[in-house]
Amino acid sequence: MKPIFYQLITLLAFTACVETEFEVPESNENEIVPDGTAVSIASVLSNLAQSSEPVISYSDTDTYITGYVTSSDVAGNFFRELIIQDAPENPTAGITLQLNQNALYTVYEPGRKVYVKLDGLAVAEENGVVQLGIRDGNGITEIPASLIPKTVFRSTEVAELIPLPVTIANFSADLENLYISLDDAQFNRREVLGESPKTFAGDANDEFDGIRLLETCEPRGTTLVSTSTFAKFKSVALPEGRGSISGILSRDFYDDFYILRINTVEALSFSGANRCDPAELQCGLAETEGGTVIFKDNFQTQTRNTFITGNGWTNFIEYGTQAWEAYTATGTNASQGISARIDSYQSGNPLSVGWLITPSIDLTTFSEVRIRFETSSSFADNSELDVLFSSDWDGTTEGITQATWLVLEDAFVIRDQDFFGDWYSSGIVRLSCASGETAYVAFRYTGSGAEASDGTYQLDNISITAD
């Protein structure tokens, strides 16, 4: 994957190439198979994985690989790259070709079988995925347009691509560059519901890519859909429904997390209206706290400017680099001694999701369990702080996104319109109507490094009591 800002250089040329869509012309060409030795895409990947060098160059070799095209720049979501995999159905290996050519879909459309001669090429991992190009120091660059016809041979075969069905929990390096599908999926409710539903990449804070949170209902999981701001469908509204999505599994530019890249909006079939948004736990508010303290923390034992640790807390970064940390401030927006804080200001993260989860709460031993806490902010902007409840989390970081989390709607959290210098009580929130034996309460922050959603939340004086 190339740096998206590189597209600015050739914006005019790129736009001209994709404004007019047309079918790949029919041809009476004969099948041309390169002379030489066929090797698998998997062997190229293995050679790089086994090498101590960051780049492997191929020279004086007659080897070539065979693949089927899965990417398309017809809608502008791919740029000067061709992604191929080793089979149109049930693929096992894929790789990206860096090509200095626009409108590749007019010659190499999805499903087209191609042969790629390796002589003169180099393979390296760029932006988290394995790619082929011309060696450039300790990296690679695009194959020049003049060499493409001598390197990438177009077969007469056009196969039907069958996306590989996978689950988010099974994402791994083995699936990178493969054409996959996710079933029972939907965009997160904050992306598509409410007063300002989002587009694929046409919102004001989308600079180079639109990053949208996608989730699957069963099995549970979350990932990201990445769309270039040069895509022709960038201003199309995200679908509200539930269904399936097909695309190429890749990594974000900084190789921090997995993303799904689609060719066109036809990759989505979200016709189901029955969404699987988290349910709410509403037991109501109590007038007083309980006489028995189960858990209490005001963070005074934490070390300033370090991640919250100890005392049973689970501090988990789902996306990005921002975690809950101990913080002290004076002035208008003063902390209460030491507080827990999270933000994504100047993080550079297209998405930040950080969890702070309480130790376990024994619901069988204690009755009329209640929780109270306080929140403040340094301008929440469009970032969010959710207060969640689970009675089926297994206590592992791997299981956090797989657990069922209910929204504690009774708990008040500071809003963007509230005065940032004040601390607000959640109220004394009952948990007594919850089922299960062991429970947890989580404080989940969602934001990004974009100016419109890089807000800050502070948390303090948590108490969980019972009768």
Side-chain angles (χ1 to χ4, degrees), residues 11-22 73-76 102-103 105-106 230-234:
L11 172 60
L12 295 177
F14 172 77
T15 305
C17 289
V18 299
E19 278 301 320
T20 303
E21 297 181 22
F22 53 86
D73 57 6
V74 66
N102 298 324
Y105 75 95
T106 62
F230 291 89
K232 295 174 67 176
F233 57 88
K234 70 173 186 179

Side-chain angles (χ1 to χ4, degrees), residues 158-388:
V158 181
E160 179 186 1
L161 293 176
I162 307 298
L164 182 68
V166 300
T167 63
I168 294 173
N170 291 330
F171 282 2
S172 68
D174 292 338
L175 295 177
E176 291 172 12
N177 280 322
L178 295 187
Y179 185 56
I180 67 167
S181 66
L182 295 173
D183 294 326
D184 204 14
Q186 64 181 27
F187 285 99
N188 182 271
R189 69 190 189 283
R190 298 197 186 282
E191 310 279 35
V192 296
L193 304 179
E195 297 179 357
S196 302
K198 294 182 180 179
T199 62
F200 280 89
D203 293 5
N205 61 344
D206 294 325
E207 296 183 25
F208 303 116
D209 296 289
I211 302 294
R212 303 294 182 254
L213 190 61
L214 183 81
E215 55 199 19
T216 51
C217 301
E218 188 61 41
R220 296 180 182 275
T222 59
T223 189
L224 300 172
V225 175
S226 177
T227 305
S228 168
T229 52
F230 291 89
K232 295 174 67 176
F233 57 88
K234 70 173 186 179
S235 297
V236 175
L238 297 173
E240 295 183 6
R242 174 177 171 180
S244 63
I245 180 172
S246 300
I248 297 167
L249 185 65
S250 189
R251 300 285 291 178
D252 74 296
F253 178 70
Y254 298 102
D255 191 22
D256 288 328
F257 43 74
Y258 285 107
I259 59 173
L260 193 63
R261 305 173 70 197
I262 65 174
N263 290 322
T264 68
V265 292
E266 294 178 354
L268 292 85
S269 177
F270 280 21
S271 57
N274 185 23
R275 292 177 55 87
C276 62
D277 294 322
E280 298 176 357
L281 180 67
Q282 288 188 293
C283 304
L285 297 175
E287 293 184 359
T288 60
E289 295 186 81
T292 301
V293 176
I294 301 175
F295 174 76
K296 199 165 189 175
D297 202 348
N298 59 7
F299 302 108
Q300 297 307 303
T301 62
Q302 297 288 328
T303 302
R304 294 175 177 84
N305 302 318
T306 63
F307 292 168
I308 300 295
T309 59
N311 205 20
W313 288 108
T314 298
N315 195 349
F316 172 64
I317 300 175
E318 182 179 356
Y319 288 109
T321 57
Q322 305 303 99
W324 287 87
E325 64 177 7
Y327 172 75
T328 299
T330 58
T332 305
N333 182 230
S335 60
Q336 303 181 111
I338 299 177
S339 305
R341 180 186 72 164
I342 191 169
D343 68 13
S344 49
Y345 178 65
Q346 294 185 338
S347 66
N349 297 326
L351 178 66
S352 295
V353 180
W355 298 65
L356 189 64
I357 309 176
T358 67
S360 61
I361 305 167
D362 187 346
L363 296 180
T364 57
T365 301
F366 300 102
S367 62
E368 291 298 320
V369 178
R370 284 151 268 183
I371 185 171
R372 181 187 178 277
F373 56 89
E374 295 176 353
T375 54
S376 183
S377 72
S378 294
F379 301 107
D381 295 326
N382 289 318
S383 61
E384 301 284 349
L385 181 61
D386 291 312
V387 185
L388 308 174

